[in-house]
Amino acid sequence: MTDSVRARHPVAPSAPLVADLSEEQLLARIFPHLPRGPRTLVGPGDDAAVVTAPDGRVVVTTDVLVEDRHFRRAWSSGRDVGRRAAVQNLADVASMGAVPTSLVVALVLPGDLPAEWVEGLAQGFGEACAPHGVDVVGGDLSGGPLVVVAVTAHGDLEGRDPVLRSGARPGDVVAHAGACGTSAAGLALLEAGLADVDPAAVASFRAPTSPLAAGPLAAAAGASAMLDVSDGLLRDAGRLARASGVVVDLDDPRVALAPDLARVRTAAQRLGVDPQAWLLGGGEDHGLLATFPPDAALPAPFRRIGRVRARSPLADAEPDVLVAGEVPAVRPGWDHFAG
Amino acid sequence: MTDSVRARHPVAPSAPLVADLSEEQLLARIFPHLPRGPRTLVGPGDDAAVVTAPDGRVVVTTDVLVEDRHFRRAWSSGRDVGRRAAVQNLADVASMGAVPTSLVVALVLPGDLPAEWVEGLAQGFGEACAPHGVDVVGGDLSGGPLVVVAVTAHGDLEGRDPVLRSGARPGDVVAHAGACGTSAAGLALLEAGLADVDPAAVASFRAPTSPLAAGPLAAAAGASAMLDVSDGLLRDAGRLARASGVVVDLDDPRVALAPDLARVRTAAQRLGVDPQAWLLGGGEDHGLLATFPPDAALPAPFRRIGRVRARSPLADAEPDVLVAGEVPAVRPGWDHFAG
């Protein structure tokens, strides 16, 4: 454990480590933090859980966080990691237009991890899930040399069609709900050792929030395509564009994303960087990017940030995403796997 | 990579490693092996999958396998690990009395892993899932220092009540479907460098099979309690006994488990060990342990292996499991987390 972890999360020398506890004792510290509501028919403790799926279809997504790749224990508490792991999975469910209902968590934990880190992780899951009526219904624990958090989240479509990445049509409005670039600003500040310049940005890197309710609202308003912005606006807009066979033309971010720009201006000035790189390339914000037919009323908190154009049938190498009609100068977000 | 891996799974020096491929290229090697049937409404490639849940409830379970803890690459191919990871999750679904329908897989993969190991892993998942109509509907990939395979499996109850661990009643018959001790014998042979003494036992350690269809059959026949035997018969019978507040009295294994005993006798003789330790204490066989009311007809392939007794109201320290009426001399199976 590094000194900076001790500084942020002081652990008494006598505080128990994971290796000091039996699986049962560790679970006894985890379970009290996990929300369980009427959707859970059978909760943790049996071979499997049973949850309601009133729609007759279930939305399923899985994501894995690996220590020193997706988070550092020196920079994020267990609670931060739990909130983040929950939110990024719930955002994937919401981006299908579904209401998140439940999740399960598989954990790999080193023996020298303080047990209270694990308790914080459970607390983080609870804090991210309970306000949305999402239950943590099961999990699995294993030892291992570093922390791995694998989450599978479920959702209910409430009778609606799922909103895919592939439904955007030329003429559609491109809209976004949530923050752009805040998480990237927070990470840049942490890397520069300047976390105190913008604690809110740093907090949003450590434990992002996502406008989960906006997903089902978008579906009900007729969204033609939607995805969760996890790897940066340009990269994820490119995914939507390719899946739909269209071009996404983003409006000038200095106007369309003015509130996001304002939010990161202090950090950008302090670090001497162009904040547009964060707005367009920064990942981990977990906003929702959606397209709507031109006549649809955008449900709050969606705001228009561009429009969908047809691909030119002649231009093979046409970019998938334009910014104010031009090829963007900013490099797209990162590849989690290569990264 | 150890020499023994090269010996079993020769990799040409020019064969690509995970780090040599983009995420897209790696996925292109994985997807062709993954089964997809009519239950999958939206498959891999979007933010989340959508699968049918005709019962209106969904059974969910998650399990994680960690390299050098649950498997060794020197002893198990990617295909073995894929089959094993699928089977142990599907067995958890079946032990609720549900029909397994789908699973998702989160993978952590080191860059120096041969890409064909990952392709083998996908093949193993396909081989374990396709015969049962189970679809692999989604996943996530991350880099990391060792292989981690986190699976979440889903099932459908087809209108039946789930069969819990807690429903066993005094007088019930204890029954088992599947193998006991074969996997432990295979592991012991591998550890002793004697894999050729019983290749079938070794194969069942590397990639166990589970009588998945027996789970729903048991539920339909009125099973009062059921679980997947993953940590050894004594240990898992103890879990069922504690959850139900009863005592499980197993019949003499030399008679009740005679076929299992015969199956591991050669290995036991060669290693000079008591094979009853494998039958009663060996894990990873993934048979199903169930209790039935005394008048129920046991569905094949269940065979009677004991009966349920009431707990004595006076004996605080009464054991949860007896063998032929006596406290068993064999130590119970292992604790995955401490192990």
Side-chain angles (χ1 to χ4, degrees):
Chain A
M1 189 164 55
T2 65
D3 286 347
S4 59
V5 177
R6 284 217 184 270
R8 282 195 65 219
H9 311 287
V11 175
S14 64
L17 305 176
V18 163
D20 298 329
L21 302 180
S22 69
E23 181 165 349
E24 205 172 332
Q25 288 171 319
L26 196 58
L27 289 173
R29 286 173 168 242
I30 292 174
F31 281 154
H33 298 286
L34 304 183
R36 176 171 171 180
R39 281 167 170 148
T40 305
L41 305 175
V42 176
D46 218 296
D47 285 32
V50 183
V51 295
T52 60
D55 177 83
R57 298 167 296 175
V58 63
V59 172
V60 186
T61 183
T62 192
D63 256 336
V64 60
L65 292 181
V66 180
E67 180 175 357
D68 291 337
R69 214 158 248 269
H70 301 101
F71 65 90
R72 300 187 197 180
R73 273 197 266 156
W75 286 356
S76 299
S77 67
R79 195 173 149 202
D80 292 335
V81 174
R83 291 178 62 176
R84 179 163 158 199
V87 164
Q88 71 180 48
N89 279 278
L90 300 182
D92 279 331
V93 170
S95 74
M96 303 298 283
V99 174
T101 54
S102 69
L103 55 79
V104 294
V105 186
L107 292 177
V108 179
L109 303 173
D112 63 355
L113 186 70
E116 70 175 24
W117 196 95
V118 184
E119 197 169 342
L121 188 81
Q123 193 183 354
F125 272 102
E127 286 169 359
C129 291
H132 301 281
V134 174
D135 295 349
V136 180
V137 299
D140 190 30
L141 295 177
S142 171
L146 80 174
V147 178
V148 177
V149 183
V151 177
T152 301
H154 305 96
D156 192 81
L157 286 162
E158 298 181 325
R160 293 180 300 270
D161 285 338
V163 183
L164 307 182
R165 298 178 174 189
S166 53
R169 295 292 167 260
D172 282 357
V173 170
V174 178
H176 182 270
C180 273
T182 317
S183 178
L187 173 59
L189 289 172
L190 271 171
E191 285 177 334
L194 294 171
D196 53 346
V197 167
D198 187 345
V202 170
S204 106
F205 163 74
R206 286 184 173 133
T209 55
S210 177
L212 298 178
L217 288 175
S224 50
M226 184 154 52
L227 49 54
D228 158 51
V229 182
S230 51
D231 296 331
L233 194 53
L234 286 185
R235 192 179 190 98
D236 284 314
R239 289 175 172 144
L240 185 149
R242 281 189 299 281
S244 297
V246 298
V247 174
V248 168
D249 190 354
L250 297 175
D251 298 336
D252 185 336
R254 289 169 299 184
V255 180
L257 300 173
D260 307 78
L261 198 57
R263 226 170 3 236
V264 299
R265 186 163 287 140
T266 307
Q269 282 169 347
R270 184 65 180 270
L271 294 170
V273 302
D274 177 0
Q276 286 196 59
W278 292 336
L279 298 190
L280 297 175
E284 306 293 339
D285 283 310
H286 298 294
L288 299 179
L289 180 69
T291 59
F292 292 87
D295 56 347
L298 297 190
F302 280 96
R303 66 259 169 84
R304 179 200 152 110
I305 64 163
R307 61 183 291 261
V308 177
R309 294 174 184 265
R311 294 195 74 83
S312 157
L314 297 174
D316 265 358
E318 187 180 30
D320 305 304
V321 183
L322 302 171
V323 177
E326 306 280 329
V327 178
V330 171
R331 72 180 170 85
W334 60 308
D335 183 327
H336 272 278
F337 192 63
Chain B
M1 189 163 55
T2 64
D3 286 346
S4 60
V5 178
R6 282 215 185 272
R8 281 197 63 218
H9 312 288
V11 176
S14 64
L17 305 177
V18 163
D20 299 329
L21 302 180
S22 69
E23 181 165 350
E24 205 171 334
Q25 288 171 318
L26 196 58
L27 289 174
R29 285 172 168 243
I30 292 174
F31 281 154
H33 298 286
L34 304 183
R36 176 173 171 179
R39 282 168 170 148
T40 305
L41 305 174
V42 176
D46 217 296
D47 285 31
V50 183
V51 294
T52 60
D55 176 84
R57 298 167 296 175
V58 63
V59 171
V60 186
T61 183
T62 193
D63 255 337
V64 60
L65 291 182
V66 179
E67 180 176 356
D68 292 336
R69 214 158 248 269
H70 301 101
F71 65 90
R72 299 188 197 179
R73 274 197 265 154
W75 286 355
S76 301
S77 67
R79 196 173 148 201
D80 292 334
V81 174
R83 291 178 62 177
R84 179 163 158 199
V87 163
Q88 72 179 48
N89 279 278
L90 299 182
D92 279 332
V93 170
S95 75
M96 302 298 283
V99 174
T101 53
S102 69
L103 53 80
V104 294
V105 186
L107 292 177
V108 179
L109 303 173
D112 63 357
L113 187 69
E116 70 176 26
W117 197 94
V118 184
E119 197 170 340
L121 188 80
Q123 193 183 353
F125 272 104
E127 287 168 357
C129 290
H132 301 281
V134 174
D135 295 349
V136 179
V137 300
D140 190 31
L141 295 177
S142 171
L146 79 174
V147 178
V148 178
V149 183
V151 177
T152 301
H154 305 95
D156 193 80
L157 287 163
E158 299 183 323
R160 292 180 300 269
D161 285 338
V163 183
L164 307 182
R165 298 178 174 189
S166 53
R169 294 292 167 260
D172 281 357
V173 170
V174 178
H176 182 271
C180 272
T182 317
S183 178
L187 173 58
L189 288 172
L190 272 171
E191 285 176 334
L194 294 171
D196 53 349
V197 167
D198 187 346
V202 170
S204 107
F205 164 74
R206 285 183 175 135
T209 55
S210 177
L212 299 177
L217 288 176
S224 50
M226 186 154 51
L227 49 54
D228 158 50
V229 181
S230 52
D231 295 331
L233 193 55
L234 286 184
R235 194 180 188 97
D236 285 314
R239 288 174 172 145
L240 185 149
R242 282 190 297 282
S244 296
V246 297
V247 174
V248 168
D249 190 355
L250 297 174
D251 299 336
D252 185 337
R254 288 169 298 183
V255 179
L257 300 173
D260 307 80
L261 197 58
R263 224 166 9 232
V264 300
R265 186 163 289 140
T266 307
Q269 282 169 347
R270 184 64 179 270
L271 295 170
V273 303
D274 176 0
Q276 286 197 58
W278 292 337
L279 298 191
L280 297 175
E284 306 293 339
D285 283 310
H286 298 294
L288 299 180
L289 180 69
T291 58
F292 293 87
D295 55 347
L298 297 189
F302 279 97
R303 66 258 168 85
R304 180 201 152 109
I305 64 163
R307 61 183 291 259
V308 177
R309 295 174 183 264
R311 293 195 76 81
S312 158
L314 297 175
D316 266 359
E318 187 179 31
D320 304 306
V321 183
L322 302 172
V323 176
E326 307 280 328
V327 178
V330 170
R331 70 180 172 85
W334 60 308
D335 184 327
H336 272 280
F337 192 61

